[in-house]
Amino acid sequence: MEDLKIMHSDGSNGILAYEVFESFKDKIHGQVLLSQDEGYDTARTVWNGMIDRHPACIVQAKNHEDVKACIDLAREYAILISVKGGGHNVAGNAVCEGGIMIDMSLMKEVTVDTGNRTARVQAGATWHDFDAETHKFGLATTGGVISDTGVAGLTLGGGIGWLIGKYGLASDNLICVKMITADGQYRTVSQEENPDLFWGIRGGGGNFGIVTEFEFQLHPLTNVYGGLMAYPLPMAAQLIPVYLELMKNAPDELAINIAWITSPEGHKALGFIVCYYGEDLSKGRELLEPLFQVGSPVMEHIGIIPYPVLQSVLDETYRPGLRNYWRSNFVKTLDPAIFEIILKHFADAPSPLSGIVLERFGGEVNRIDDNATAYAHRNNAFNLMAISMWDGAEKDEQNIGWLKALWEELAPYLQARVYVNYLGSEDTEGINRIKEAYGEAKYARLVELKQKYDPTNLFRMNQNIKPMK
């Protein structure tokens, strides 16, 4: 066997001696895949079809010792390293070019403690894995809106989901984690142990180490009143004011997002994605009555369903392998001009797969002290997100251009604030959007934390917070 060609963390090319690589492989309990091995191409594939990178090797870790061995090798030889949990992030940072990719997919065990209403989950689990196990016991916690999203990435970036109104973000329900930092130390991180790091990982992403296990607080929840309904797009002018008025006094247990979508038949529509999880689910229909009074939806798939079913409602829409370009910002004010701009541009969307979503924030996520975690911008009412999604590289310029034009016209109505999990690679366009994700004060605190736990920026395949120079 020849020496292994690698990419160093500074971007330079290098060689890892055969003897060193063989010694490393002997420490791994899981699988080590090279480019010629069966399973390599599957393992390096992530959700966003635009990402096509080739790691020097992929380690399918079986336990935390495997993860530590990867960190130790990467640190000693300055090798680029990335971590794949669910691989669902649009930026594609789960896979690196020429470095070591740690694939956590073999580590997906979920263990529920019904007495304490807690769950321990390994870092390779998706929310489908998590919800399937907790649902057996009538329990749940906030966890995304698409079931094949990874638990790890979503939580470390904050963790928006249907249950934020009553239970806060996924990271707000985090009790502790087990993680390995850049120095190779295995740490328990909680409010009591390493509390500075606990603050940072709840929103700061994978900048400070690799989490191998999470422990969450769970809440009683089995069924919800939820699903999707849609109206003809020309009714938007009537429906949106009614929706905004409805949400002003909505209970914490009611989540409704608006989505500008195209039906499978090719018709433009205004969709409402609903989740109500109050004590009496039969009241769900009653809460939506103001919308029904405007008119009857042309599509209605809504009713009392198991919570995991709601979690998978959008899976087919956001299926893996399609090409994706996103933009997102919190909204300053819901000026009617926003909806006029959206309507104008959405009519010209080059792909029927593309959509625009208005997410409503409120309840518990707003009530938690903004300084409690690294996640920022709690005190916002709405987030606007546009997803350009298409099939075929030859259509890249057209679909990316459409979204950029939309966002340029919307800019006066948007805040310089963004949810870090929705970021792609916009920094290449000259704006440090990572700072926009945290604000100046929190970003400065995160830089200090990075300097303490990862001064060489070993963990850089993320929305990167660079250590102090």
Side-chain angles (χ1 to χ4, degrees):
M1 181 177 172
E2 300 179 353
D3 296 340
L4 187 68
K5 295 180 180 179
I6 59 167
M7 176 78 74
H8 288 299
S9 51
D10 65 1
S12 62
N13 294 317
I15 296 292
L16 189 67
Y18 166 75
E19 295 81 5
V20 174
F21 184 61
E22 283 298 299
S23 176
F24 163 70
K25 284 176 63 179
D26 289 342
K27 299 175 184 177
I28 301 299
H29 302 84
Q31 300 290 319
V32 179
L33 302 174
L34 299 178
S35 59
Q36 67 269 23
D37 293 331
E38 184 179 355
Y40 171 87
D41 282 328
T42 299
R44 73 179 181 87
T45 300
V46 291
W47 176 79
N48 186 355
M50 294 189 76
I51 309 302
D52 184 23
R53 302 187 188 123
H54 298 77
C57 75
I58 299 173
V59 177
Q60 295 184 311
K62 194 173 182 179
N63 51 39
H64 73 267
E65 288 90 353
D66 288 357
V67 177
K68 175 175 164 49
C70 293
I71 291 174
D72 290 342
L73 183 72
R75 182 183 63 250
E76 184 174 356
Y77 294 94
I79 304 172
L80 186 64
I81 192 170
S82 66
V83 185
K84 180 182 179 182
H88 206 280
N89 186 265
V90 67
N93 287 320
V95 56
C96 58
E97 185 67 43
I100 301 170
M101 173 181 159
I102 306 174
D103 177 4
M104 307 291 279
S105 61
L106 299 182
M107 298 177 61
K108 56 199 313 179
E109 182 178 343
V110 181
T111 305
V112 177
D113 180 340
T114 56
N116 291 315
R117 289 181 179 169
T118 60
R120 290 185 180 272
V121 54
Q122 292 181 314
T126 65
W127 286 104
H128 175 272
D129 302 321
F130 185 96
D131 293 332
E133 189 62 26
T134 60
H135 185 69
K136 295 175 184 177
F137 306 98
L139 299 168
T141 202
T142 306
V145 297
I146 301 171
S147 73
D148 59 359
T149 302
V151 170
L154 183 112
T155 301
L156 294 174
I160 294 171
W162 297 118
L163 310 183
I164 61 172
K166 188 172 183 180
Y167 301 123
L169 303 163
S171 57
D172 295 331
N173 291 277
L174 202 55
I175 298 170
C176 74
V177 304
K178 305 289 187 182
M179 69 184 294
I180 306 168
T181 44
D183 55 7
Q185 286 196 45
Y186 192 57
R187 303 173 189 263
T188 298
V189 178
S190 67
Q191 206 69 263
E192 292 74 35
E193 298 182 69
N194 301 296
D196 61 340
L197 198 49
F198 191 55
W199 179 87
I201 64 166
R202 290 177 293 164
N207 272 284
F208 311 107
I210 299 177
V211 176
T212 58
E213 182 182 276
F214 298 79
E215 183 178 3
F216 290 95
Q217 187 66 57
L218 301 177
H219 310 278
L221 183 67
T222 302
N223 297 327
V224 300
Y225 176 83
L228 173 66
M229 60 183 186
Y231 290 81
L233 195 58
M235 293 182 66
Q238 299 167 264
L239 288 161
I240 289 172
V242 173
Y243 163 80
L244 296 177
E245 188 63 30
L246 187 160
M247 299 312 293
K248 280 182 183 178
N249 301 307
D252 290 347
E253 298 88 350
L254 179 64
I256 308 176
N257 292 338
I258 298 180
W260 287 259
I261 56 176
T262 303
S263 74
E265 298 77 25
H267 304 302
K268 304 288 186 183
L270 188 73
F272 294 91
I273 313 162
V274 178
C275 176
Y276 174 65
Y277 49 105
E279 187 173 336
D280 183 359
L281 295 182
S282 66
K283 290 184 178 179
R285 180 86 181 184
E286 179 183 327
L287 288 167
L288 298 182
E289 188 57 31
L291 294 173
F292 289 121
Q293 287 180 1
V294 176
S296 299
V298 292
M299 185 271 286
E300 182 183 350
H301 299 295
I302 192 166
I304 296 175
I305 54 175
Y307 174 65
V309 172
L310 178 71
Q311 287 288 75
S312 64
V313 161
L314 299 176
D315 287 6
E316 178 57 28
T317 301
Y318 299 104
R319 60 188 183 274
L322 295 170
R323 303 176 77 79
N324 277 262
Y325 182 80
W326 294 8
R327 281 296 178 91
S328 172
N329 283 87
F330 289 100
V331 180
K332 288 179 183 177
T333 178
L334 286 173
D335 190 297
I338 289 177
F339 303 110
E340 293 172 9
I341 294 168
I342 290 173
L343 192 63
K344 179 180 72 174
H345 284 270
F346 185 59
D348 297 328
S351 169
L353 302 172
S354 296
I356 302 166
V357 180
L358 184 69
E359 297 179 309
R360 190 248 186 180
F361 283 61
E364 185 66 11
V365 70
N366 292 159
R367 288 191 288 264
I368 293 172
D369 184 351
D370 192 51
N371 293 315
T373 68
Y375 175 84
H377 314 319
R378 289 182 180 275
N379 301 316
N380 293 276
F382 290 94
N383 182 66
L384 189 62
M385 179 185 186
I387 299 172
S388 188
M389 187 161 49
W390 67 98
D391 196 11
E394 72 280 1
K395 303 172 186 173
D396 286 1
E397 184 176 350
Q398 180 186 22
N399 284 276
I400 293 172
W402 167 76
L403 184 42
K404 285 183 176 180
L406 165 65
W407 225 245
E408 183 177 349
E409 193 165 351
L410 284 171
Y413 306 97
L414 305 176
Q415 301 187 61
R417 297 181 172 190
V418 63
Y419 174 39
V420 72
N421 280 346
Y422 290 166
L423 279 177
S425 54
E426 291 96 333
D427 266 10
T428 60
E429 296 171 19
I431 302 172
N432 190 339
R433 303 212 70 210
I434 299 171
K435 284 188 177 180
E436 291 184 357
Y438 298 109
E440 290 293 335
K442 285 193 176 183
Y443 186 79
R445 184 173 172 181
L446 287 165
V447 168
E448 292 178 1
L449 205 59
K450 181 76 169 181
Q451 182 68 31
K452 178 178 177 179
Y453 288 102
D454 185 20
T456 65
N457 203 14
L458 182 68
F459 306 113
R460 65 182 64 202
M461 287 298 296
N462 45 45
Q463 297 298 348
N464 194 229
I465 298 163
K466 294 179 175 63
M468 293 179 284
K469 300 296 183 185

